[in-house]
Each structure stands twice: as structure tokens, then as C-alpha cells.
Amino acid sequence: MTGIKDISAIRSDFPALAGTMRGKSLVYFDNGATSLKPQSVVDALNGYYREYSANIHRGVYEMSERATAAYDRARESLYRLLNVSEDQGEIIFTRGTTEATNLVAYAWAMNTLKEGDEIVTTAMEHHSNFVPWQEVARRTGAVLRFLPLTPDGALAEKGITETIGPRTRLVAITAMSNVTGYIPPLSDIVRAAREHGALVLVDAAQYASHHPVDVQELDCDFLAFSGHKMCGPTGIGALYARRELLESMEPFHFGGDMIREVKLDHSTWANVPEKFEAGTPNIAGAIGIAAAADYLMEIGLDRVARHEQELNRHMRSALADLDFVTIYGPVEQVERGGIFSFNLDGVHPHDVGSLLDQQGIAVRTGFHCAQPLMAHFGIEGTVRASFYLYNTTAEVDQFIEALHRLYRILQ
Ligand code: 7TS
């Protein structure tokens, strides 16, 4: 059963889908990198810039009050998206997932961790949820440990309880691999972390745009995501964090808007969330990400996830028939993300990408900001096709035909 009933109505919400690439109708399979944007998001951005592009929190005039109200409403949309209870948690606007993980690295980890403390992560992380922890370890003397992976890039079953232990202070893990679409068992990981009093940071850059997220149910401490992968604009994302943690943390950036009082010899900080939002924020971006969240919630993220599972089934069985294709990752997982990484025998991934481009099909090639995972697979890169709510099984068929054609050409 399809998750999304009227796919043509959904497609008509996205102006870019009416366009062409290399003179062919566009098949956009690079959603892991960024999604296309619906008209409602474009209109929300346009509305702010055209009608009320004042700064927030500063004006005593109506236009600024309108901008401030829209910015505050944007945060509330994200509360709804993630089921945040305001007593327990808060949303901090950031530039995206990368800035959100860095916020935790600088404002919490660098100030808290000591020699011998352990940070647990995995070799399947995007560099944005990997390099910050490597750097924290280098600067604080903390030790980086890795949850072991199976040969096909899933988490090894016993590895969780064997790796997370009394010295673990933070577990930083993706909710969905941007290379394989693999979804790790987060509830087991959170349980193991809680047993040892460790915090959990979830990188939801890929997951949150395609699945419902409930931070209260998940019981994580931090959760990072990006607007541009969920139908929103670039340059905006958010960090969800437990309120008491944010209250106990030092600020990340210093300057205007994040202070309570500034004296010549010292300053004090504003309350959360302003304490973590120094300077004029990305007001239009916040309005845009909220419009994106509202758009997705209206459709229903459970439906989006089901639609992608249907595309996955279709893609998996079609790719399985191609004996010149190697797929990476635990592709048989039922509830996996709509991401397929693969290579064609003896063909460089960039050549596949370029030839698909000639046929109007957008995919990504390379190491996908996940070099440790490439090393785990013993490869340099892959071709990656990644789906979203507006993709169709007909597009998957077109893609498979294109692969057949180009493999014949390249042989
Ligand atoms: N974490 C994951 C799992 C990601 O997929 C990405 C971006 C990030 C973090 C970083 O997000 P940003 O918005 O701060 O850049 N992933 C990709 C990708 O797979 N191809 O291009 C960007």
C-alpha cells in the first residue's frame, strides 16, 4: 500500500520537478544531499523578504513585532515536529546539523570531558558527527571508541553493550546512514548509555526529514538536523537539547542577543534559547524551516516513510536482477532509509554519475563525507541514489533502464 495517495499532487508542489536537466525531464535522486523545496516554503521566504523583513527582538514597531512573532512561531513548529515538551527541552536554531554538533562539541564536550573519559561513535558517521568528536578527544584527552560494524555496515549486535561502559560520557550516533540508509537500533543504544549515565547525541540529518521523530520517546539528550534536507532552505537547522543541559552549558558564540547584562569587567547570559543564538539569526531561514516542517506534518511523516519503503522494495528487487551491480549496506533491512549506494563492476562511480546526468538523472558520487565507512567497505566511493516523498516507482524504472544502457556503453 502506498504511503502517499496522490503523488501527482505532491509533485506539483515542487516547481523544480517541472524542469529539465540536460534537456530531459528531471529525475532527482540526490535527496540525501539536499531536497527540493515546495512552493509553500518559497512563498514563506518570499513573504518575509517582501513584506516584513525587519530584525527581531529589537523593534518597538509593528513590522519588527511581526518578524519576532514569525520567528517564535517557527520554533513552535519544530516543537510539534519533534514532540518537544517545552519544560524538558528546547530548540536552538543553528546553520544546520554541522553547526549543531559543533555547538555540543564546543559548549558541552570541550568544557566537560577529561582525560580518560570516553566518547562512543561509529565508523558510519557523516564527517559532521565524527570530526568534532575526534577534535574534542585530541584537545581534552578523552578517548574515541567505535561501535563495531558488521562487514555490510550494520551495528554488530553485541558491540553496543561491550563498547558503551562506565567511562562513556557521550554516545554520538546517526539515526540513519547517509551512505547506506541503515537505521541503527537507537533505543538499545540509549538504554546502554543511560545505564552508565552517558549522554546521547543523535544525528538526525537524514532521518528526521523522512520519518516521524519523538524526542520524548527517543529519550535522547541532543538531536541535530538540517532544514535543507527536509524541504526547507539552506543555512538553517536546529539542535534539540534537554533544557537542564542547555542551562548548565556555557554559551557557544558570544555577542549581541545572547546576553542579560554587559559590564566592563564581565557579562551575564540570557536565558535558553537566546543564550545559544548570538547575533541576528537566520530569520528567513527559521520561517522557511517552519514552513517545511508544517508541509511535512500536513502530509504526515509516517506516510513519507511508508512511501519510501515502497520505493526501496521496488529498487531493491530491480537492482538484485543486475549482476553487474554491488550494493553496499544492509540492504535487506525492512525499515531502512531510501538511500542506495552501489558500484558497477569495473566502472568508476563518477563515470556512472556523469552518464546518468546526461539522461536527466541526478545522483551523487564519491565518498559522501563518510571516509571511515568507505575504508570499512574497502572502496573509494560509490554512486548514491536517494529518494524523497515526490519520487515514483516509474522514476526507479527509468533509472534502472539508464543503468543497463550505460553499463553496455562502458563495457
Ligand atoms: N549528518 C548526516 C547523516 C548527513 O547526511 C549530513 C549531510 C550532515 C550530517 C551534515 O549536514 P549539513 O546540513 O550540516 O551539511 N549529508 C550530505 C550528504 O550525504 N551529501 O551532501 C550532504
Side-chain angles (χ1 to χ4, degrees):
M1 191 192 75
T2 178
I4 287 173
K5 289 204 180 69
D6 190 354
I7 190 83
S8 59
I10 299 269
R11 287 179 68 82
S12 66
D13 291 338
F14 290 81
L17 288 174
T20 57
M21 193 167 78
R22 308 280 181 210
K24 306 268 165 55
S25 60
L26 171 69
V27 174
Y28 188 75
F29 279 178
D30 195 18
N31 295 286
T34 199
S35 72
L36 303 177
K37 321 302 174 200
Q39 188 63 44
S40 60
V41 168
V42 178
D43 289 344
L45 292 168
N46 210 359
Y48 169 72
Y49 282 122
R50 281 172 58 114
E51 293 166 26
Y52 62 105
S53 67
N55 209 333
I56 56 165
H57 294 159
R58 294 181 190 161
V60 288
Y61 52 94
E62 190 190 352
M63 202 197 231
S64 171
E65 282 170 10
R66 190 174 164 200
T68 304
Y71 188 75
D72 293 343
R73 266 199 314 276
R75 209 184 304 275
E76 285 161 17
S77 280
L78 297 190
Y79 292 161
R80 282 195 298 282
L81 181 74
L82 304 180
N83 193 27
V84 175
S85 140
E86 254 187 280
D87 303 342
Q88 292 161 19
E90 189 53 279
I91 292 284
I92 309 294
F93 283 116
T94 65
R95 283 192 294 135
T97 305
T98 306
E99 193 176 69
T101 54
N102 275 274
L103 191 163
V104 178
Y106 279 93
W108 180 79
M110 300 266 197
N111 293 320
T112 311
L113 298 187
K114 304 267 177 318
E115 202 165 325
D117 286 342
E118 292 179 358
I119 304 168
V120 172
T121 186
T122 77
M124 78 172 118
E125 304 305 315
H126 185 282
H127 295 164
S128 293
N129 190 35
F130 192 86
V131 182
W133 313 122
Q134 218 169 32
E135 194 55 20
V136 166
R138 192 180 69 78
R139 294 194 198 182
T140 63
V143 176
L144 209 52
R145 298 194 62 194
F146 306 102
L147 295 175
L149 301 183
T150 61
D152 66 355
L155 286 189
E157 212 172 289
K158 283 203 188 135
I160 296 170
T161 48
E162 283 171 1
T163 313
I164 298 171
R167 293 179 156 233
T168 309
R169 300 292 309 281
L170 174 72
V171 181
I173 182 146
T174 187
M176 176 173 143
S177 162
N178 70 313
V179 175
T180 64
Y182 170 66
I183 295 177
L186 282 189
S187 52
D188 293 351
I189 292 164
V190 173
R191 197 175 316 118
R194 289 281 173 258
E195 255 169 47
H196 297 287
L199 301 186
V200 178
L201 178 145
V202 174
D203 171 356
Q206 293 292 341
Y207 189 88
S209 28
H210 303 263
H211 304 86
V213 172
D214 180 333
V215 288
Q216 295 185 58
E217 195 184 310
L218 189 56
D219 191 29
C220 59
D221 300 284
F222 302 108
L223 184 131
F225 60 104
S226 299
H228 68 95
K229 292 188 202 289
M230 50 172 273
C231 299
T234 54
I236 187 81
L239 175 73
Y240 158 80
R242 272 204 295 119
R243 185 172 287 282
E244 61 178 355
L245 272 169
L246 289 171
E247 280 167 358
S248 70
M249 276 157 60
E250 295 291 327
F252 178 26
H253 296 141
F254 298 85
D257 255 16
M258 53 76 67
I259 52 87
R260 180 181 310 282
E261 209 176 32
V262 177
K263 306 276 190 188
L264 275 183
D265 59 352
H266 80 285
S267 302
T268 53
W269 316 137
N271 288 336
V272 170
E274 285 79 18
K275 178 173 133 185
F276 291 99
E277 293 181 0
T280 299
N282 184 351
I283 303 164
I287 291 166
I289 195 177
D294 293 346
Y295 177 80
L296 289 171
M297 283 187 281
E298 201 176 317
I299 291 166
L301 277 146
D302 49 342
R303 289 217 185 102
V304 173
R306 278 207 304 279
H307 175 68
E308 289 174 27
Q309 277 172 29
E310 187 176 283
L311 295 175
N312 285 349
R313 276 195 297 279
H314 199 76
M315 177 83 152
R316 194 169 51 213
S317 65
L319 281 179
D321 291 340
L322 305 186
D323 57 3
F324 52 88
V325 170
T326 306
I327 310 177
Y328 300 96
V331 77
E332 297 304 327
Q333 188 182 32
V334 177
E335 289 193 29
R336 67 191 290 289
I339 297 180
F340 287 81
S341 264
F342 61 90
N343 275 319
L344 307 193
D345 289 349
V347 186
H348 196 281
H350 289 283
D351 294 338
V352 179
S354 302
L355 285 167
L356 287 172
D357 164 52
Q358 296 304 320
Q359 308 195 38
I361 301 173
V363 295
R364 183 139 300 227
T365 65
F367 54 73
H368 314 297
C369 294
Q371 286 183 345
L373 186 59
M374 295 296 127
H376 177 78
F377 290 140
I379 54 176
E380 306 241 308
T382 73
V383 183
R384 183 186 69 178
S386 48
F387 305 139
Y388 210 5
L389 72 166
Y390 36 69
N391 291 125
T392 65
T393 50
E395 287 180 318
V396 173
D397 292 339
Q398 210 176 319
F399 170 79
I400 296 288
E401 268 171 42
L403 281 186
H404 267 297
R405 257 198 312 277
L406 71 88
Y407 187 66
R408 273 200 304 274
I409 297 168
L410 287 170
Q411 269 209 314

Short mmCIF file of all heavy atoms in Angstrom, two decimals, residues 30 32-34 95-99 125-129 174 176-179 203-206 225-229 236 364 368-369 384, ligand 1:
data_model
loop_
_atom_site.label_atom_id
_atom_site.label_comp_id
_atom_site.label_asym_id
_atom_site.label_seq_id
_atom_site.Cartn_x
_atom_site.Cartn_y
_atom_site.Cartn_z
N ASP A 30 18.98 12.87 -5.62
CA ASP A 30 20.08 13.31 -4.75
C ASP A 30 19.53 13.95 -3.48
O ASP A 30 20.05 14.95 -2.99
CB ASP A 30 21.00 14.27 -5.50
CG ASP A 30 22.33 14.46 -4.77
OD1 ASP A 30 22.67 13.60 -3.91
OD2 ASP A 30 23.02 15.46 -5.02
N GLY A 32 19.60 12.83 -0.49
CA GLY A 32 20.49 12.72 0.66
C GLY A 32 21.36 13.95 0.80
O GLY A 32 21.78 14.32 1.90
N ALA A 33 21.65 14.61 -0.31
CA ALA A 33 22.47 15.83 -0.27
C ALA A 33 21.62 17.02 0.10
O ALA A 33 21.95 17.79 1.00
CB ALA A 33 23.15 16.06 -1.62
N THR A 34 20.52 17.19 -0.60
CA THR A 34 19.54 18.22 -0.23
C THR A 34 18.24 17.91 -0.95
O THR A 34 18.26 17.27 -2.01
CB THR A 34 20.05 19.64 -0.57
OG1 THR A 34 19.29 20.60 0.17
CG2 THR A 34 19.95 19.97 -2.05
N ARG A 95 22.99 26.80 11.94
CA ARG A 95 23.10 26.84 10.47
C ARG A 95 22.74 25.49 9.87
O ARG A 95 22.52 25.39 8.66
CB ARG A 95 24.53 27.20 10.06
CG ARG A 95 24.84 28.67 10.20
CD ARG A 95 26.15 29.00 9.49
NE ARG A 95 27.25 28.34 10.16
CZ ARG A 95 28.21 27.69 9.53
NH1 ARG A 95 28.23 27.60 8.21
NH2 ARG A 95 29.19 27.12 10.21
N GLY A 96 22.75 24.45 10.66
CA GLY A 96 22.45 23.11 10.15
C GLY A 96 22.98 22.08 11.12
O GLY A 96 23.33 22.40 12.27
N THR A 97 23.03 20.84 10.67
CA THR A 97 23.49 19.75 11.52
C THR A 97 24.94 19.97 11.96
O THR A 97 25.30 19.74 13.11
CB THR A 97 23.38 18.42 10.76
OG1 THR A 97 22.04 18.27 10.30
CG2 THR A 97 23.76 17.24 11.62
N THR A 98 25.76 20.42 11.03
CA THR A 98 27.19 20.58 11.33
C THR A 98 27.39 21.57 12.47
O THR A 98 28.17 21.33 13.40
CB THR A 98 27.95 21.04 10.07
OG1 THR A 98 27.67 20.12 9.02
CG2 THR A 98 29.44 21.12 10.32
N GLU A 99 26.67 22.70 12.41
CA GLU A 99 26.83 23.67 13.49
C GLU A 99 26.23 23.13 14.79
O GLU A 99 26.72 23.43 15.88
CB GLU A 99 26.19 25.01 13.14
CG GLU A 99 26.63 26.08 14.11
CD GLU A 99 26.10 27.45 13.75
OE1 GLU A 99 24.88 27.67 13.86
OE2 GLU A 99 26.91 28.30 13.35
N GLU A 125 29.56 7.28 10.57
CA GLU A 125 29.06 8.65 10.70
C GLU A 125 29.45 9.52 9.51
O GLU A 125 30.52 9.35 8.91
CB GLU A 125 29.60 9.30 11.98
CG GLU A 125 29.31 8.55 13.26
CD GLU A 125 27.82 8.26 13.46
OE1 GLU A 125 27.01 9.18 13.25
OE2 GLU A 125 27.49 7.11 13.80
N HIS A 126 28.60 10.49 9.22
CA HIS A 126 28.99 11.61 8.35
C HIS A 126 30.11 12.37 9.08
O HIS A 126 30.11 12.44 10.31
CB HIS A 126 27.76 12.50 8.16
CG HIS A 126 27.95 13.64 7.20
ND1 HIS A 126 28.62 14.79 7.53
CD2 HIS A 126 27.56 13.79 5.91
CE1 HIS A 126 28.61 15.61 6.49
NE2 HIS A 126 27.98 15.02 5.49
N HIS A 127 31.04 12.95 8.35
CA HIS A 127 32.16 13.66 8.99
C HIS A 127 31.69 14.72 10.00
O HIS A 127 32.40 15.02 10.96
CB HIS A 127 33.04 14.33 7.93
CG HIS A 127 33.72 13.33 7.02
ND1 HIS A 127 34.29 13.69 5.83
CD2 HIS A 127 33.91 12.00 7.15
CE1 HIS A 127 34.81 12.61 5.24
NE2 HIS A 127 34.59 11.57 6.03
N SER A 128 30.49 15.26 9.80
CA SER A 128 29.97 16.29 10.72
C SER A 128 29.68 15.74 12.11
O SER A 128 29.60 16.49 13.07
CB SER A 128 28.66 16.86 10.19
OG SER A 128 28.89 17.58 9.04
N ASN A 129 29.48 14.45 12.21
CA ASN A 129 29.27 13.82 13.52
C ASN A 129 30.45 12.91 13.84
O ASN A 129 30.30 11.91 14.53
CB ASN A 129 27.94 13.03 13.53
CG ASN A 129 27.56 12.57 14.93
OD1 ASN A 129 27.82 13.27 15.92
ND2 ASN A 129 26.99 11.37 15.03
N THR A 174 24.48 8.42 14.36
CA THR A 174 23.48 8.80 13.36
C THR A 174 22.21 7.98 13.55
O THR A 174 22.26 6.81 13.97
CB THR A 174 24.04 8.58 11.93
OG1 THR A 174 23.10 9.12 11.00
CG2 THR A 174 24.27 7.12 11.60
N MET A 176 20.42 7.51 10.88
CA MET A 176 20.31 6.87 9.56
C MET A 176 21.56 7.22 8.76
O MET A 176 21.91 8.39 8.65
CB MET A 176 19.06 7.39 8.86
CG MET A 176 18.87 6.89 7.47
SD MET A 176 17.24 7.47 6.91
CE MET A 176 17.63 7.81 5.22
N SER A 177 22.21 6.19 8.24
CA SER A 177 23.44 6.42 7.48
C SER A 177 23.13 7.16 6.18
O SER A 177 22.21 6.78 5.45
CB SER A 177 24.12 5.09 7.16
OG SER A 177 25.04 5.26 6.10
N ASN A 178 23.93 8.18 5.88
CA ASN A 178 23.72 8.92 4.62
C ASN A 178 24.32 8.17 3.43
O ASN A 178 24.15 8.60 2.30
CB ASN A 178 24.33 10.32 4.70
CG ASN A 178 25.84 10.31 4.73
OD1 ASN A 178 26.44 9.54 5.47
ND2 ASN A 178 26.48 11.14 3.92
N VAL A 179 24.99 7.04 3.71
CA VAL A 179 25.58 6.25 2.61
C VAL A 179 24.70 5.04 2.30
O VAL A 179 24.43 4.75 1.14
CB VAL A 179 27.01 5.79 2.98
CG1 VAL A 179 27.57 4.87 1.92
CG2 VAL A 179 27.90 7.00 3.19
N ASP A 203 22.37 12.22 15.43
CA ASP A 203 22.47 12.98 14.19
C ASP A 203 21.29 12.55 13.32
O ASP A 203 21.29 11.47 12.74
CB ASP A 203 23.81 12.66 13.50
CG ASP A 203 23.89 13.24 12.10
OD1 ASP A 203 22.91 13.84 11.63
OD2 ASP A 203 24.95 13.09 11.47
N ALA A 204 20.28 13.43 13.27
CA ALA A 204 19.05 13.08 12.55
C ALA A 204 18.98 13.80 11.20
O ALA A 204 17.90 13.98 10.65
CB ALA A 204 17.84 13.41 13.41
N ALA A 205 20.14 14.19 10.66
CA ALA A 205 20.16 14.94 9.39
C ALA A 205 19.41 14.19 8.31
O ALA A 205 18.66 14.78 7.53
CB ALA A 205 21.59 15.21 8.95
N GLN A 206 19.61 12.88 8.22
CA GLN A 206 18.92 12.10 7.19
C GLN A 206 17.57 11.60 7.68
O GLN A 206 16.61 11.57 6.93
CB GLN A 206 19.77 10.88 6.77
CG GLN A 206 21.06 11.23 6.05
CD GLN A 206 20.84 11.85 4.67
OE1 GLN A 206 19.78 11.72 4.06
NE2 GLN A 206 21.85 12.55 4.17
N PHE A 225 19.61 18.39 13.24
CA PHE A 225 19.09 18.19 11.89
C PHE A 225 19.19 19.47 11.07
O PHE A 225 19.46 20.54 11.62
CB PHE A 225 17.65 17.65 11.90
CG PHE A 225 16.65 18.55 12.58
CD1 PHE A 225 15.77 19.31 11.84
CD2 PHE A 225 16.59 18.62 13.96
CE1 PHE A 225 14.84 20.14 12.45
CE2 PHE A 225 15.66 19.45 14.58
CZ PHE A 225 14.79 20.20 13.82
N SER A 226 18.99 19.33 9.75
CA SER A 226 19.18 20.45 8.81
C SER A 226 17.89 20.73 8.07
O SER A 226 17.20 19.80 7.64
CB SER A 226 20.24 20.08 7.76
OG SER A 226 21.48 19.83 8.37
N GLY A 227 17.62 22.01 7.84
CA GLY A 227 16.42 22.39 7.10
C GLY A 227 16.44 21.96 5.65
O GLY A 227 15.43 21.53 5.10
N HIS A 228 17.60 22.07 5.02
CA HIS A 228 17.64 21.89 3.56
C HIS A 228 17.39 20.45 3.13
O HIS A 228 17.09 20.20 1.96
CB HIS A 228 18.98 22.39 3.00
CG HIS A 228 20.16 21.56 3.40
ND1 HIS A 228 20.65 20.56 2.61
CD2 HIS A 228 20.94 21.58 4.50
CE1 HIS A 228 21.69 20.01 3.22
NE2 HIS A 228 21.88 20.61 4.37
N LYS A 229 17.51 19.50 4.04
CA LYS A 229 17.23 18.10 3.67
C LYS A 229 15.76 17.75 3.90
O LYS A 229 15.33 16.64 3.61
CB LYS A 229 18.11 17.15 4.48
CG LYS A 229 19.59 17.25 4.13
CD LYS A 229 20.35 16.15 4.81
CE LYS A 229 21.82 16.44 4.97
NZ LYS A 229 22.59 16.41 3.75
N ILE A 236 19.99 26.84 7.58
CA ILE A 236 19.21 26.78 8.82
C ILE A 236 19.03 25.32 9.21
O ILE A 236 18.86 24.44 8.37
CB ILE A 236 17.82 27.46 8.67
CG1 ILE A 236 17.08 27.54 10.02
CG2 ILE A 236 16.95 26.76 7.63
CD1 ILE A 236 17.50 28.67 10.90
N ARG A 364 24.43 11.31 -6.57
CA ARG A 364 25.71 11.78 -6.03
C ARG A 364 26.74 10.67 -6.16
O ARG A 364 26.40 9.49 -6.04
CB ARG A 364 25.55 12.17 -4.57
CG ARG A 364 26.83 12.75 -3.99
CD ARG A 364 26.52 13.92 -3.11
NE ARG A 364 25.85 14.98 -3.84
CZ ARG A 364 26.19 16.26 -3.76
NH1 ARG A 364 27.20 16.66 -3.03
NH2 ARG A 364 25.49 17.17 -4.42
N HIS A 368 30.90 10.70 -0.01
CA HIS A 368 29.73 11.14 0.74
C HIS A 368 30.07 11.61 2.16
O HIS A 368 29.30 11.34 3.10
CB HIS A 368 28.66 10.03 0.79
CG HIS A 368 28.43 9.38 -0.54
ND1 HIS A 368 27.93 10.06 -1.62
CD2 HIS A 368 28.68 8.12 -0.99
CE1 HIS A 368 27.87 9.25 -2.67
NE2 HIS A 368 28.32 8.07 -2.31
N CYS A 369 31.19 12.29 2.32
CA CYS A 369 31.60 12.78 3.66
C CYS A 369 31.59 11.66 4.68
O CYS A 369 31.19 11.86 5.84
CB CYS A 369 30.70 13.91 4.14
SG CYS A 369 30.84 15.40 3.17
N ARG A 384 25.38 7.07 -5.38
CA ARG A 384 24.32 7.05 -4.37
C ARG A 384 23.03 7.63 -4.94
O ARG A 384 23.01 8.77 -5.41
CB ARG A 384 24.73 7.85 -3.15
CG ARG A 384 23.69 7.80 -2.03
CD ARG A 384 24.04 8.71 -0.88
NE ARG A 384 23.92 10.12 -1.25
CZ ARG A 384 24.13 11.13 -0.42
NH1 ARG A 384 24.52 10.91 0.82
NH2 ARG A 384 23.97 12.38 -0.83
N1 7TS B 1 24.91 14.13 9.14
C1 7TS B 1 24.43 13.38 8.14
C2 7TS B 1 23.96 11.98 8.42
C3 7TS B 1 24.37 13.93 6.85
O1 7TS B 1 23.87 13.18 5.86
C4 7TS B 1 24.79 15.27 6.63
C5 7TS B 1 24.80 15.89 5.26
C6 7TS B 1 25.25 16.00 7.73
C7 7TS B 1 25.32 15.39 8.96
C8 7TS B 1 25.69 17.42 7.60
O2 7TS B 1 24.58 18.24 7.34
P1 7TS B 1 24.77 19.77 6.95
O3 7TS B 1 23.40 20.21 6.58
O4 7TS B 1 25.30 20.45 8.16
O5 7TS B 1 25.73 19.79 5.80
N2 7TS B 1 24.91 14.95 4.23
C9 7TS B 1 25.19 15.20 2.93
C10 7TS B 1 25.28 14.16 2.01
O6 7TS B 1 25.13 12.98 2.28
N3 7TS B 1 25.56 14.68 0.79
O7 7TS B 1 25.65 16.00 0.91
C11 7TS B 1 25.42 16.34 2.24
#
